[in-house]
Amino acid sequence: MEVRKLALARLQAGAGPEELTELLLAHGNQEPVAEWGCWHARTLATKSLQSLLELVAAGGANAVLFVMRAHTQLVTVQTDGSACIACIASGDDGCRKMLLAVGGVDALLGGMQAHPTSAEVATVATVALSRLAMCSADAEHAVIATHTPAAVISAMQAHPLEPELQRAGCGLLHYLAAGSGEHRRLIIEAGGVPAVVAAMRGHPTRSPIQEDGCGVLCSLAAPCEDCEDAPQKVLGAGGGEAIIGAMLQAPRHVKVQRWGCIALCAAAASESRHVDVASKGAHAVVLAMRAHSSDVLVQEQASAALWSIAAGGGAGCQAVLDAGGARAICDALRRHQGESVLARRGFRAIGALGGSSEAGLHAVHEAGGVKLIARAIRANMGDAALLEDGFRALGELDWRSDRMRTALLAEDVIGLVVEVLAGWSACFLTLSPAFEQGKLLLAQLARQSDEHRRMAFDAGADPVWLGTASVR
């Protein structure tokens, strides 16, 4: 008894890191010592960086984990201990690797499982786990092997009104979901999608939650061998609506818009296309393009999303057209000339829209789509991927109307295609997919009218190039 009182007195007097470690290891099996010791360790860890490093150097982390394991039933020990570990995990990689080596993940999970109704324990433990997981590949493996995602998801579901818990949980799941398909499968099976959707809906003004939430759903919506029905599960649990809601709620938050566009692209590409998601998603994507017109990544990802929505045809194409997608894409191409990835994605969207209907063709023409594609091809005749997508997009269009014939002449599309084919033929690049796509386009144009055929021959086309496609 006297020894315990002496230990408590030394702790209450403000023991230093080395003395604290010594007391916890020697007397931490006593509840009062454990409670005071973890509280004091938390105080030292949050005091300053210097104090934190001194605590780590003295072996304080190992001592705190020892006490946490010995007193899983004491909520104060688990709260203060987990908070101390979370602070140490915010240090450098050396601190995090040390925590992993001494069983930090197991101790944190033990506290969460022992106190499922404690929001504070769940929050600080989840924060610590999220920091530990991002240390290395070994750390990620340790977190997955201990079924951490399921524990964190359960905590998120049990404490939906705790913003810091939801933020840390979404951040951890975002990081893990970006890993392997097996990670995504585990997260989905543990109920990750509804948990993330609930977090986003419950905290609509918390940008970090919206950002990481969109990131999680983006990764989970991508189909993989381990979970082929992932897109359906994301959409079925309201993931599409949550993503769109986040984009509309935080229009100026560029990362929310980027992740949102990527997620909608993946969702729209799935077989379970939702009409509401396509309609509202197209509107949200176009708003993102307008709000972040100078951000190339937003423009690239948004163009891919609009192409994915439009590629479904019917309602998808109409949704993109109604949202002003054709104009938004063409504006992006004008603003960011020379961006090959954006150009290719924009071309695909233009082809899908222009080939969908008379309204789509009209929208593409009015937005200057043909001119933009032709200009990009002229400026990038050595970019095989860009040429292939450009030729394919032009091949989706119906050139038989008066306005399209005008565009054909104005941009000298036939002469441009012949010039590219001749150049590539001279360089013995005739087996390239871009060359083949160019021949298909030229043959298509030439067979639509005798005038087009004469234009092709006048431009110097090889007769062989004109016989590889049928009339539209």
Side-chain angles (χ1 to χ4, degrees):
M1 182 67 69
E2 293 301 321
V3 173
R4 188 189 73 180
K5 288 182 178 180
L6 179 59
L8 276 175
R10 291 165 66 186
L11 286 172
Q12 292 167 354
E18 292 185 1
E19 187 177 16
L20 169 64
T21 299
E22 177 187 340
L23 292 170
L24 285 178
L25 292 176
H27 307 287
N29 59 330
Q30 302 292 324
E31 290 187 4
V33 174
E35 290 179 315
W36 270 97
C38 283
W39 176 84
H40 191 43
R42 178 178 186 173
T43 301
L44 290 175
T46 56
K47 182 178 179 180
S48 67
L49 177 59
Q50 181 63 30
S51 178
L52 172 65
L53 294 176
E54 289 175 356
L55 180 64
V56 172
N62 202 11
V64 169
L65 291 172
F66 164 73
V67 172
M68 290 175 65
R69 294 190 192 97
H71 300 282
T72 54
Q73 80 283 3
L74 292 179
V75 67
T76 54
V77 167
Q78 298 304 319
T79 301
D80 290 332
S82 296
C84 177
I85 298 303
C87 289
I88 296 174
S90 68
D92 58 20
D93 282 346
C95 292
R96 289 185 282 272
K97 289 178 181 178
M98 177 273 298
L99 288 173
L100 290 167
V102 296
V105 173
D106 287 330
L108 292 165
L109 289 176
M112 293 176 70
Q113 292 162 359
H115 303 280
T117 61
S118 173
E120 190 172 6
V121 170
T123 299
V124 292
T126 300
V127 169
L129 288 167
S130 67
R131 292 172 180 171
L132 287 176
M134 301 178 192
C135 172
S136 64
D138 289 339
E140 185 178 344
H141 176 73
V143 166
I144 288 293
T146 52
H147 307 290
T148 296
V152 169
I153 290 167
S154 294
M156 292 172 67
Q157 293 169 334
H159 308 285
L161 301 181
E162 295 295 326
E164 289 306 312
L165 169 59
Q166 301 301 321
R167 176 180 180 177
C170 286
L172 174 60
L173 295 178
H174 183 186
Y175 177 78
L176 295 176
S180 67
E182 174 66 11
H183 292 182
R184 294 191 283 276
R185 182 185 66 78
L186 290 173
I187 291 171
I188 289 174
E189 290 181 352
V193 176
V196 171
V197 169
M200 295 174 71
R201 288 175 176 168
H203 305 275
T205 61
R206 299 270 182 168
S207 294
I209 293 177
Q210 301 302 315
E211 178 186 334
D212 281 322
C214 285
V216 177
L217 297 177
C218 170
S219 295
L220 297 182
C224 61
E225 293 182 359
D226 294 288
C227 194
E228 294 181 355
D229 60 346
Q232 292 90 325
K233 290 184 176 180
V234 170
L235 292 175
E241 291 83 356
I243 293 165
I244 295 168
M247 294 176 70
L248 296 177
Q249 179 68 35
R252 307 304 304 178
H253 196 297
V254 66
K255 289 186 178 180
V256 169
Q257 302 305 316
R258 288 175 183 171
W259 283 117
C261 288
I262 296 173
L264 288 176
C265 180
S270 72
E271 294 181 359
S272 58
R273 298 175 186 273
H274 288 209
V275 175
D276 287 344
V277 170
S279 177
K280 296 176 182 177
H283 175 68
V285 170
V286 171
L287 289 180
M289 296 180 77
R290 291 172 178 166
H292 301 277
S293 59
S294 61
D295 189 295
V296 176
L297 288 177
V298 169
Q299 302 303 311
E300 289 177 354
Q301 291 149 1
S303 295
L306 293 179
W307 168 56
S308 185
I309 294 172
C317 274
Q318 192 59 50
V320 175
L321 291 174
D322 291 344
R327 174 67 63 182
I329 291 167
C330 290
D331 287 345
L333 294 177
R334 288 190 190 90
R335 187 180 184 94
H336 300 283
Q337 299 178 41
E339 296 291 341
S340 180
V341 173
L342 171 59
R344 293 177 58 197
R345 293 178 179 180
F347 294 169
R348 294 171 188 174
I350 288 173
L353 293 172
S356 65
S357 63
E358 182 63 26
L361 186 63
H362 177 73
V364 167
H365 177 265
E366 290 298 309
V370 174
K371 181 178 181 178
L372 288 165
I373 295 175
R375 182 173 63 184
I377 290 175
R378 286 193 177 92
N380 300 276
M381 289 192 178
D383 188 333
L386 183 144
L387 293 180
E388 182 181 357
D389 283 327
F391 288 151
R392 181 177 287 110
L394 293 174
E396 293 291 331
L397 308 180
D398 189 336
W399 297 90
R400 290 172 292 187
S401 67
D402 289 340
R403 64 168 171 268
M404 293 305 293
R405 280 198 294 271
T406 300
L408 183 81
L409 294 172
E411 301 304 324
D412 189 20
V413 173
I414 291 177
L416 174 61
V417 177
V418 171
E419 180 182 356
V420 172
L421 293 179
W424 280 54
S425 179
C427 296
F428 305 100
L429 297 174
T430 56
L431 297 180
S432 164
F435 188 87
E436 289 300 317
Q437 199 63 49
K439 285 200 303 180
L440 287 171
L441 173 60
L442 184 63
Q444 173 186 319
L445 293 171
R447 292 185 180 186
Q448 284 183 352
S449 72
D450 291 338
E451 179 188 7
H452 291 175
R453 178 176 286 272
R454 284 194 298 272
M455 291 169 63
F457 282 125
D458 289 344
D462 186 323
V464 175
W465 301 342
L466 306 182
T468 57
S470 60
V471 183
R472 281 181 63 98

